[in-house]
Short mmCIF file of all heavy atoms in Angstrom, two decimals:
data_model
loop_
_atom_site.label_atom_id
_atom_site.label_comp_id
_atom_site.label_asym_id
_atom_site.label_seq_id
_atom_site.Cartn_x
_atom_site.Cartn_y
_atom_site.Cartn_z
N ARG A 92 73.88 149.75 -42.93
CA ARG A 92 74.32 150.60 -41.83
C ARG A 92 73.17 150.91 -40.89
O ARG A 92 73.34 150.95 -39.67
CB ARG A 92 74.94 151.89 -42.38
CG ARG A 92 76.32 151.64 -42.94
CD ARG A 92 76.97 152.80 -43.61
NE ARG A 92 76.82 154.07 -42.95
CZ ARG A 92 77.07 155.24 -43.55
NH1 ARG A 92 77.47 155.27 -44.80
NH2 ARG A 92 76.93 156.37 -42.89
N LEU A 93 71.99 151.14 -41.45
CA LEU A 93 70.81 151.40 -40.63
C LEU A 93 70.49 150.19 -39.75
O LEU A 93 70.20 150.32 -38.56
CB LEU A 93 69.62 151.75 -41.53
CG LEU A 93 68.30 152.08 -40.87
CD1 LEU A 93 68.42 153.34 -40.02
CD2 LEU A 93 67.23 152.29 -41.94
N LEU A 94 70.59 148.99 -40.33
CA LEU A 94 70.31 147.76 -39.57
C LEU A 94 71.35 147.54 -38.48
O LEU A 94 71.02 147.04 -37.40
CB LEU A 94 70.28 146.56 -40.51
CG LEU A 94 69.08 146.50 -41.46
CD1 LEU A 94 69.30 145.42 -42.51
CD2 LEU A 94 67.81 146.24 -40.70
N ALA A 95 72.61 147.90 -38.72
CA ALA A 95 73.68 147.69 -37.74
C ALA A 95 73.67 148.74 -36.64
O ALA A 95 74.32 148.56 -35.61
CB ALA A 95 75.02 147.70 -38.46
N ASP A 96 72.91 149.81 -36.81
CA ASP A 96 72.90 150.92 -35.86
C ASP A 96 72.47 150.49 -34.46
O ASP A 96 73.00 150.97 -33.46
CB ASP A 96 72.00 152.03 -36.39
CG ASP A 96 71.94 153.23 -35.48
OD1 ASP A 96 72.91 154.01 -35.48
OD2 ASP A 96 70.93 153.37 -34.75
N GLY A 97 71.48 149.59 -34.37
CA GLY A 97 71.01 149.10 -33.09
C GLY A 97 69.95 149.95 -32.41
O GLY A 97 69.44 149.57 -31.36
N SER A 98 69.58 151.06 -32.99
CA SER A 98 68.59 151.94 -32.37
C SER A 98 67.16 151.60 -32.77
O SER A 98 66.21 152.16 -32.23
CB SER A 98 68.90 153.39 -32.69
OG SER A 98 68.78 153.62 -34.09
N LEU A 99 67.00 150.69 -33.71
CA LEU A 99 65.66 150.33 -34.18
C LEU A 99 65.08 149.20 -33.33
O LEU A 99 65.80 148.40 -32.78
CB LEU A 99 65.73 149.86 -35.64
CG LEU A 99 66.28 150.86 -36.65
CD1 LEU A 99 66.45 150.20 -38.00
CD2 LEU A 99 65.36 152.07 -36.77
N SER A 100 63.74 149.15 -33.28
CA SER A 100 63.10 148.07 -32.55
C SER A 100 63.35 146.75 -33.29
O SER A 100 63.67 146.74 -34.47
CB SER A 100 61.59 148.32 -32.46
OG SER A 100 60.98 148.16 -33.74
N ALA A 101 63.21 145.65 -32.57
CA ALA A 101 63.43 144.33 -33.17
C ALA A 101 62.49 144.09 -34.33
O ALA A 101 62.88 143.53 -35.37
CB ALA A 101 63.26 143.24 -32.11
N ARG A 102 61.24 144.52 -34.20
CA ARG A 102 60.26 144.33 -35.28
C ARG A 102 60.66 145.10 -36.53
O ARG A 102 60.67 144.56 -37.62
CB ARG A 102 58.88 144.76 -34.82
CG ARG A 102 57.81 144.71 -35.90
CD ARG A 102 56.42 144.96 -35.34
NE ARG A 102 55.43 145.32 -36.31
CZ ARG A 102 55.04 144.59 -37.34
NH1 ARG A 102 55.58 143.42 -37.56
NH2 ARG A 102 54.10 145.02 -38.17
N THR A 103 61.05 146.36 -36.36
CA THR A 103 61.45 147.18 -37.51
C THR A 103 62.70 146.61 -38.15
O THR A 103 62.80 146.51 -39.38
CB THR A 103 61.69 148.64 -37.07
OG1 THR A 103 60.49 149.14 -36.50
CG2 THR A 103 62.10 149.51 -38.25
N THR A 104 63.66 146.18 -37.33
CA THR A 104 64.89 145.58 -37.85
C THR A 104 64.56 144.33 -38.67
O THR A 104 65.09 144.13 -39.77
CB THR A 104 65.86 145.24 -36.72
OG1 THR A 104 66.18 146.44 -36.01
CG2 THR A 104 67.13 144.61 -37.24
N GLY A 105 63.66 143.51 -38.15
CA GLY A 105 63.26 142.30 -38.86
C GLY A 105 62.62 142.61 -40.20
O GLY A 105 62.90 141.94 -41.21
N LEU A 106 61.77 143.62 -40.23
CA LEU A 106 61.10 144.00 -41.49
C LEU A 106 62.11 144.57 -42.48
O LEU A 106 62.07 144.26 -43.67
CB LEU A 106 59.99 145.01 -41.23
CG LEU A 106 58.77 144.47 -40.48
CD1 LEU A 106 57.84 145.60 -40.09
CD2 LEU A 106 58.04 143.45 -41.31
#
Side-chain angles (χ1 to χ4, degrees):
R92 285 175 42 196
L93 182 63
L94 289 169
D96 181 77
S98 63
L99 301 173
S100 71
R102 176 172 161 61
T103 302
T104 300
L106 291 171

